[in-house]
Amino acid sequence: MEDQRVTLLPVRVVGGVTVAAARGRLDHLTAGALGAALAPLLAGCKAGSPALLLDLSAVDYMSSLGLRTLVVASRQAAAQGGRFAVAGMQPLVAEIFAIARLNLVMPCYVDVDGACAQLA
Amino acid sequence: MKKVVFWGTRGSLPIALTADAVRHKVMAALTAANGRRFASRSELADFVDGLPFATAGTFGGHSSCVEIVTGGPEHIICDMGSGARPLAQAKLAAYGAARPQVYHVFISHLHWDHLMGFPFFLPMYIPGNRIVIHGCHDRLEEAMRLQMRAPCFPVDYSQAGATIEYHAMTPGQPHAVAGLTVTPHRQLHAGDSYGYRFAGQGRCVVYSTDSEHKLEDNGERQGFIEFFQAADLVVFDAMYSLAEAVSVKADWGHSSNVVGVELCQAAGARRLALFHHEPVNDDEQLGRLLDETRRFEAITREGRAPLEIISAYDGLVVDL
Ligand SMILES: [Zn+2]
Ligand SMILES: [Zn+2]
């Protein structure tokens, strides 16, 4: 059976960009786990260091708390002079993103390759 | 409870339509008509009624004031924003000065946009009327008097002809008022605000404005789910987008449409009214916000019963 908890998959580096992929539902039960998993990556997301890209292609649901986790991450990166972006949202997640106006507060890319080309 | 009447729905500051906005609406209506001729007034009225609300109507600009009509002899009002003025006019037209009335006013908090209509609430000047102001703030009476003190206002509070009483409520405790059970709930806002849950006659209405939600606080979330539980109508502070509410406008004391939908879904509420509209948002923006909120509810429904979503506007009457 598919794991319904959100998980952060192993980090990979694509063209000089740190890519972390999340999977599953990002809601009030799982947002804390994602925040904790992102914390060490965010700590290194500073001026001069590689951009941090969160691949959301395997995330199929996002609640307000999940959205907040991403805003907090994006603001932490910005405060440190680093760059944080998301990519690969499924259509419904992209719609939720737009309704919550998150697309106005962080860079959102259609796919990981396109994002890496921009962020490298 | 029979219905809810929205007299003021704008957040923070009353606004008015500008000439430019009216011109924009006329142009949009004429564009939609596309040269069509109308055989009768009723045909024209049907056409106008079919236009988008942002073209043929307006959300209005009065600050918070909502009436709950119980069908009983006493009146129930939430907040005394500038919407209290048209409410007062309607009551005077209905009852005249010769028929004294009882008004129960529930005050969410003491910020000016929620009190500024009181000096214009004509029943306060008419002897025989009884006004009971309910609230949870220690300084409630002081705040009501303060805004009518010279040099801020020409008529002092002491000129009131009506009997004005204050009733201190306790958050979390049910209170019996005018045949209803009213329970206040403490909310996160500068100086605290309180929501009110009105239950009676088999119906339940929650008035919850000027309330920020800390999404990471699960205890707070559970408290609101209980507060909104199975409500027929939840009037909700949807002033900001979620992104604003958790970033640049965090700690400004307001919430978003997205959080309103989620809490109402979790609480099994029947209907959500977006309220305390951001003064910067024009009718078209508020119309889009309503469409988007309905879409958000639909794509996050996950097998629950549908939640009906409306956007409150000055003059809206909701049958319960
Ligand atoms: Zn307000
Ligand atoms: Zn306020």
Side-chain angles (χ1 to χ4, degrees), chain B residues 109 111 113-114 189-190 193 210 253-254 276:
Chain B
H109 65 309
H111 288 161
D113 57 315
H114 296 258
H189 195 72
S193 72
D210 296 62
H254 298 285
H276 206 269

Side-chain angles (χ1 to χ4, degrees), chain B residues 202-216:
Chain B
R203 291 280 178 271
C204 173
V205 172
V206 176
Y207 178 75
S208 175
T209 193
D210 296 62
S211 173
E212 180 166 356
H213 295 275
K214 288 293 179 195
L215 305 173
E216 64 278 26

Side-chain angles (χ1 to χ4, degrees), chain A residues 15-95:
Chain A
V17 176
T18 305
V19 182
R23 183 168 72 101
R25 287 172 66 89
L26 189 42
D27 60 17
H28 68 278
L29 295 173
T30 60
L34 179 74
L38 278 177
L41 298 171
L42 280 167
C45 186
K46 299 178 184 147
S49 66
L52 175 58
L53 179 69
L54 186 62
D55 175 1
L56 293 173
S57 56
V59 170
D60 46 29
Y61 183 87
M62 207 176 299
S63 79
S64 56
L65 188 51
L67 295 162
R68 179 185 179 273
T69 303
L70 301 185
V71 174
V72 169
S74 158
R75 285 171 69 81
Q76 184 187 335
Q80 297 168 175
R83 290 173 300 153
F84 175 86
V86 297
M89 282 181 278
Q90 294 178 20
L92 281 186
V93 173
E95 235 186 305

